[in-house]
Every structure is written in C-alpha cells, then in structure tokens.
Amino acid sequence: IAGITQAPTSQILAAGRRMTLRCTQDMRHNAMYWYRQDLGLGLRLIHYSNTAGTTGKGEVPDGYSVSRANTDDFPLTLASAVPSQTSVYFCASSDGLSHSPLHFGNGTRLTVT
Amino acid sequence: GQSLEQPSEVTAVEGAIVQINCTYQTSGFYGLSWYQQHDGGAPTFLSYNALDGLEETGRFSSFLSRSDSYGYLLLQELQMKDSASYFCAGLDSNYQLIWGAGTKLIIKP
C-alpha cells in the first residue's frame, strides 16, 4: 500500500542524545515536510523540502536538521535532544503543487527526559 | 504575524449538522484547507477552497470568504465516527500551510 512510513513509532530519549527520525514515502512526491504537534498548538512546520537535494526552514527549525538525498527519504535529526522537543512528529508529503493535499505518516511520539 | 483561530471544542448530536468556524489574521492566504485527525492518528485531508464559495464533498462542505478572512467546515448527518479533531490550514505567500490549533468535535448519541 502506497504511503509514508515513519520510524520509530515511539521513543524515549535522554536529554543530550542524538536521534534521527526516519521517513520514507513511495508515492514519488516531490515535496516532503516535518511537523511537530503539541497539545493546543496544532501542527508547526519544522523543515521542508520542495524537491530532492533542497531543504528549507519552517516555523520552528532550531535544534533540528534534515537532508533530502533522494526523492523517497527525508530524515529528521535532533543533534542534542532537549525536553522541549518532547512532541509527536509527523512526516508528510505532497506532489508539490500549491493546492495539493498533504499525506501524513502515522507519527513518532518522542519523549525527551 | 499569521494565525488562524478556531473553537477548541464543539459538541453536537448524532444525525445533526455542525459548523466549525475558522478565522484568520494575515495579509493574505492563497487558500484554506481542512484536515481531520482521530485521536492517536494522522491528519487526513478533507477539502481545499482556493476560491470564495462552497465546496461540497459528500456529507462534508467547506466555505471560504477571503474578504471576511473566514471559512467554515460543515458536517451533515453526523455519525459517531466523525468524532475527531478538525484543523483549518491556510496556504501562505510561501505556499506553506499555517495551521489552526484544531477543534475537537464531540458527538453525543
């Protein structure tokens, strides 16, 4: 079944540790996104990529980095996790047209202790 | 800055009609989208309004008035499975989505 796969599903991480959240899509979508979702704040864009080889900063990029080496994969890295990065992280993709809907993965629930 | 406001919670009865409003503060959005998210799940796309007016998709309709910076999602013939959170999201000048905080729809039998 075509879609977006995120891994891990959940993770408990000690503060200061490095962590990479994985995201893979098989829809050949050009654009990919990372959001975090916190209670009462909706979804906030962390980083995005309009096409392979390019990335851009979203609303809350600090403490996160991304890469887009190919069309399918868009990993999100926390270089040194802090408790404020405790959140649910969603990866999404779209075909890149302005009105195209986003397709979301099932999310990664990250707890930083 | 840009922001979208929607009620935090709405309660309705099974079989009824409910309207979830979304107002936005921005110099201009290119369109308004609506997404549904069940507890523990991922957001799923419902509708997109690029132009003013009403878009209908089955039991769900969405409306946009750019002159009033206002939109709404209308759900008819409510079913228990419609219990979820609903998010409006505006497409900004950088073609990125800015999200409202979400409305939790509670449906009573």
Side-chain angles (χ1 to χ4, degrees):
Chain A
I1 298 176
I4 297 182
T5 302
Q6 291 186 235
T9 302
S10 65
Q11 181 75 44
I12 299 174
L13 187 68
R17 297 297 295 269
R18 180 185 179 90
M19 174 77 188
T20 295
L21 307 185
R22 300 184 298 278
C23 176
T24 299
Q25 55 110 352
D26 61 4
M27 296 175 283
R28 307 303 295 172
H29 281 167
N30 285 322
M32 297 187 75
Y33 311 84
W34 274 105
Y35 288 92
R36 60 177 290 171
Q37 185 174 33
D38 303 291
L39 194 63
L41 293 179
L43 288 148
R44 292 183 292 169
L45 183 65
I46 304 171
H47 285 287
Y48 65 93
S49 169
N50 288 329
T51 189
T54 69
T55 62
K57 294 182 179 180
E59 182 185 355
V60 289
D62 294 344
Y64 306 94
S65 64
V66 292
S67 62
R68 186 87 184 279
N70 57 60
T71 297
D72 299 342
D73 301 300
F74 192 43
L76 176 73
T77 297
L78 290 69
S80 179
V82 295
S84 62
Q85 292 178 311
T86 293
S87 187
V88 180
Y89 291 85
F90 285 101
C91 179
S93 72
S94 77
D95 63 16
L97 298 176
S98 61
H99 59 280
S100 296
L102 298 185
H103 299 261
F104 285 84
N106 288 327
T108 294
R109 184 174 297 275
L110 180 67
T111 302
V112 182
T113 62
Chain B
Q2 300 169 333
S3 67
L4 294 93
E5 301 292 328
Q6 46 182 137
S8 60
E9 188 175 291
V10 171
T11 301
V13 178
E14 187 178 16
I17 299 172
V18 71
Q19 179 174 312
I20 299 173
N21 298 321
C22 176
T23 59
Y24 56 89
Q25 309 288 334
T26 182
S27 59
F29 275 148
Y30 287 115
L32 194 69
S33 297
W34 288 92
Y35 285 76
Q36 179 191 60
Q37 185 180 30
H38 286 99
D39 283 348
T44 57
F45 173 78
L46 290 177
S47 68
Y48 173 72
N49 291 71
L51 303 174
D52 288 359
L54 192 68
E55 294 280 343
E56 298 181 73
T57 307
R59 293 188 297 114
F60 294 4
S61 302
S62 58
F63 172 82
L64 175 65
S65 170
R66 285 178 293 179
S67 61
D68 295 324
S69 297
Y70 166 72
Y72 65 74
L73 179 70
L74 190 74
L75 296 82
Q76 303 182 72
E77 301 174 18
L78 284 172
Q79 302 175 11
M80 296 304 294
K81 68 178 182 179
D82 298 329
S83 295
S85 292
Y86 293 84
F87 294 85
C88 59
L91 195 64
D92 72 6
S93 56
N94 294 316
Y95 295 101
Q96 299 298 336
L97 286 177
I98 306 296
W99 295 74
T103 298
K104 185 177 181 64
L105 175 60
I106 298 170
I107 300 174
K108 297 184 176 181

